[in-house]
Amino acid sequence: MPQTDGSLYPVQSDVLVRQADLGRDGSADAIGVARWLEDARIRLRLRRFERLVASGGFVPFQIFFVNQRIERLRPAGRAGAQAQVHTGVRRIGQSSFTYEQAAFIDGGRVASGDATVVLVGASGALSLPDELIEDLRELALPESSAEPAARPGPERSRRDHYPYFAPLLARIGDVDSNQHVNYIALATYYDEAVAAFVRHAAGTAGTDPVPDLPPQSFRVHYLGEVTYPGRYEVGVVVRSVDADSVSYELGVFRDSECLGVAEAVGPRGDLNAESLKAWTG
């Protein structure tokens, strides 16, 4: 269960809200929130592990994400404001660990998230060294033994699970130091796919504005590497519809290969519930 009190988190970082974090409604969108959470994680110091790496005592490795959750809880934020991002470690496993985070503005909680991380070497996932485990234990939250997020079912990796596809082209600006598309850039692919689907489902003409119904939350599962250059398609299926929201399942494909899946929840707005049923799996 995510922590609700910022004082329970061992680390706080003040993150500047940037203009690029704001959505079309003038407040931070889910992708902007993802940047805040990333900023706070990057600032964490794991001193024992850093000394081990600097001394050559650990094999060459890359940092990979297994999954990530981003949740915008309410409209908040303006350019130049400060968000207080609280960070702790919810789970420590043999080869992975999970951060849990919460963001506050003006004393109110506006966003939350988590991210599961693995260290990968030439032969695959590496066991966490003792030095890293000691660092992580100092950041542990009271519920650090919580179970990891459930893995998506095998049907999510099949093209025939998705009735709608949005084509996307990888951009050179999406590539990070690991030489693959950055995980936040990949979240924007899912964001774009939902926007394309909403436009299609609403019957919006080419010159009409796109309905402002972006996802407020994402749960992203990483299955493979999205690389540049590359042409991709993001599949979309409506999982459920209620009076106020639409839940989506998404998958990013290169031809028939599924490289990642996600769940998203966004506002329904004026989307017709009956027409959405045609896109429900």
Side-chain angles (χ1 to χ4, degrees), residues 42-56:
I42 289 173
R43 296 182 196 180
L44 288 176
R45 297 302 307 271
L46 303 170
R47 299 183 186 279
R48 298 177 185 85
F49 181 56
E50 290 169 6
R51 288 196 296 268
L52 177 69
V53 173
S55 69

Side-chain angles (χ1 to χ4, degrees), residues 61-66 116-120 178 180 222 225:
F61 68 95
Q62 293 179 312
I63 297 172
F64 280 78
F65 282 75
V66 176
T116 299
V117 177
V118 297
L119 307 183
V120 177
N178 287 332
H180 59 210
Y222 304 95
E225 291 191 66

